[in-house]
Amino acid sequence: MEFNKIEDILEKYFQGETTIAEEKELKDYFSSPNVAQHLEQYKPMFGYFSQVKEQKSTHPIPLKTKKRNVAWLSIAASVVVLLGVGTYFYVSEKNAAPVVAQSELGTYDDPEEALAATQKALALLSSNVNVGIESVQYIKEYEQSKNKIFKQ
Amino acid sequence: MNQNVFIELINPFKDKVFRLAKRLLTSTEEAEDATQEVMVKLWNKKENLDSYGSVEALAMTMTKNYCLDQLKSKRAGNLKIVHSNYTDREPQLDKKLEDSDSLEWVEKIISQLPEQLQILIQLRDVEQYEFDEIAKIVNMNETAIRVALSRARKKIRESMLNTHRYGIQ
C-alpha cells in the first residue's frame, strides 16, 4: 500500500510532475527509519536535499561600509574645502595690512626731512657698494705682480 | 529604506542565495563573497526595489547571473575550482560515516551536471520553490523547467544506481 503510493510519487517525481507537497512526502518518507529495501537507493538523494537546506551563511553582510565611506568622504572633502578657503582669506588679509602700512611709511610731508632721509639711504647704499670695491683692490695687486713678471 | 528594514527584507532568502551560490561555486568562501556581492547590489538598488515584483526572485536571479559570470571568468583564466580543496567550515552533522559518505556522493553527482540543471535542482529540490517562481528566476517557461528537471533527476538517479551497485558487485 504505502510502497505503491511512494512508488507512484517517485515515478511522477522523475517525470518532473510532482507538486511541492508530494516532494515533501517523499523527503519525509526517505528520512524515516523504515524505508523499503528496494527503495533504499533513493535515500541519500532525498537525505542530501534536506541536509543541504540546513547550510547557512555565517558572514555578516557589510552594508554600512560602502555607504558610510561615501558619507565620510564628503564630510572630509567639505572640511578640506572650508579649511582651504579659510586659510586663503586669513593669509590674504594678513598680507593686505602691511602693504597699506608700507605705502604710508614711504612718504614725507617735509621736504628737508625727505632730503635727509634720501641722503641717509644713498649713503648706506654707497658704503655698501664700497665694500665691493675694496675687494676689487686685491685684483689690482695681482695685476701689478703679473706685470712685474711678464714684462711687456 | 533604512538598514534594519532592508535586513528584515533579505533575511528570509539570504541563506537561499548563499546555498545557490555554493551549489554553483562549490567553495564556502566564494559563496559567501557572492552572497555579499548580491546583497550589496540589492542595497544599492534599494530606492527602486518596489518596482520589482518579488525581491527574492530578483535576488536569486542576480545570484545565478553573478555565479555564472564568476565561473565563466574563472574558466577563461584557466582556473578551475578543485572540489576537494575546500572543506566546509561548518561542523559535520553527526551522521554516520557511511551516511555522509553517500550524501557526498550525491553532491558530487549533482556538481557534474550542467549548471542550468544544477540551478533547477537547487531551486526545486532543495529550496522547494514553486514552478512559477522558478520560471521568474531562470527566465524559462514552466514546461521547459519540468522537462529539464526530469532530466536532471534521472541523471542523478542513474549515477546513484551505478554507485549503489558498485559497492555490491
Side-chain angles (χ1 to χ4, degrees):
Chain A
M1 273 287 286
E2 176 85 345
F3 297 159
N4 280 339
K5 196 184 163 205
I6 291 296
E7 276 172 4
D8 281 352
I9 301 178
L10 208 54
E11 184 51 36
K12 271 173 80 185
Y13 171 79
F14 283 107
Q15 296 305 323
E17 283 160 4
T18 36
T19 62
I20 292 289
E22 285 169 329
E23 282 164 26
K24 198 168 177 303
E25 213 171 311
L26 285 180
K27 274 183 200 168
D28 288 346
Y29 175 76
F30 284 105
S31 63
S32 71
N34 41 355
V35 177
Q37 187 76 45
H38 66 292
L39 295 178
E40 190 84 10
Q41 65 203 35
Y42 299 113
K43 220 177 151 178
M45 194 170 163
F46 291 98
Y48 173 77
F49 292 147
S50 312
Q51 186 219 32
V52 165
K53 218 188 166 189
E54 301 303 312
Q55 292 183 333
K56 285 186 167 54
S57 160
T58 48
H59 262 231
I61 289 156
L63 295 175
K64 272 186 179 171
T65 45
K66 272 202 171 168
K67 278 286 154 182
R68 267 257 174 101
N69 276 345
V70 175
W72 277 113
L73 211 66
S74 59
I75 290 170
S78 57
V79 165
V80 167
V81 168
L82 274 176
L83 270 178
V85 171
T87 14
Y88 174 75
F89 278 113
Y90 182 71
V91 168
S92 60
E93 208 159 299
K94 240 190 163 181
N95 281 345
V99 168
V100 178
Q102 258 179 5
S103 67
E104 278 175 357
L105 265 180
T107 51
Y108 288 95
D109 292 330
D110 186 4
E112 273 182 35
E113 216 177 301
L115 178 69
T118 312
Q119 279 177 338
K120 197 180 160 195
L122 287 177
L124 189 70
L125 178 73
S126 69
S127 72
N128 276 330
V129 168
N130 285 342
V131 170
I133 287 174
E134 270 166 32
S135 36
V136 176
Q137 300 294 331
Y138 290 115
I139 299 174
K140 233 179 186 172
E141 292 282 327
Y142 285 123
E143 184 80 15
Q144 280 171 0
S145 320
K146 193 199 87 180
N147 286 343
K148 267 183 199 163
I149 299 164
F150 302 103
K151 282 178 185 148
Q152 289 157 332
Chain B
M1 185 184 292
N2 74 27
Q3 212 175 328
N4 291 337
V5 178
F6 182 76
I7 296 284
E8 285 290 301
L9 180 76
I10 62 167
N11 255 342
F13 58 82
K14 196 182 94 195
D15 291 324
K16 294 183 186 177
V17 165
F18 170 71
R19 290 190 291 256
L20 177 61
K22 186 154 188 288
R23 162 77 48 231
L24 291 168
L25 300 176
T26 313
S27 103
T28 306
E29 283 75 17
E30 292 207 40
E32 262 158 8
D33 286 351
T35 312
Q36 273 186 16
E37 193 69 28
V38 168
M39 292 312 164
V40 169
K41 274 186 194 161
L42 269 186
W43 172 247
N44 293 338
K45 275 187 194 211
K46 63 185 188 299
E47 305 308 333
N48 43 14
L49 277 185
D50 296 334
S51 59
Y52 296 95
S54 150
V55 179
E56 179 167 344
L58 172 71
M60 296 304 274
T61 310
M62 282 164 68
T63 311
K64 181 200 77 170
N65 292 338
Y66 177 82
C67 292
L68 292 182
D69 283 351
Q70 285 295 99
L71 289 174
K72 210 183 274 175
S73 67
K74 282 240 162 59
R75 272 172 206 158
N78 234 353
L79 266 166
K80 205 158 166 50
I81 301 172
V82 181
H83 298 192
S84 55
N85 271 359
Y86 300 100
T87 48
D88 244 334
R89 241 189 278 139
E90 275 153 46
Q92 274 289 322
L93 295 169
D94 52 352
K95 298 252 178 196
K96 277 188 249 159
L97 188 66
E98 193 185 332
D99 256 12
S100 68
D101 226 29
S102 51
L103 295 185
E104 268 170 35
W105 262 112
V106 182
E107 167 127 25
K108 210 170 175 193
I109 288 165
I110 295 178
S111 70
Q112 282 157 1
L113 294 174
E115 275 123 23
Q116 197 63 26
L117 296 187
Q118 286 188 43
I119 294 169
L120 292 178
I121 287 284
Q122 179 71 19
L123 293 179
R124 178 66 181 190
D125 282 335
V126 178
E127 307 296 356
Q128 294 167 316
Y129 278 107
E130 290 291 351
F131 282 115
D132 59 332
E133 291 170 306
I134 300 177
K136 264 184 246 159
I137 295 170
V138 297
N139 199 17
M140 282 165 73
N141 71 47
E142 291 185 28
T143 323
I145 294 172
R146 281 177 195 273
V147 171
L149 204 54
S150 160
R151 215 174 82 222
R153 286 167 175 171
K154 282 177 180 163
K155 273 191 180 172
I156 298 173
R157 175 173 65 179
E158 204 180 303
S159 312
M160 285 300 300
L161 286 180
N162 288 342
T163 319
H164 199 70
R165 287 202 199 106
Y166 185 78
I168 298 165
Q169 286 167 355

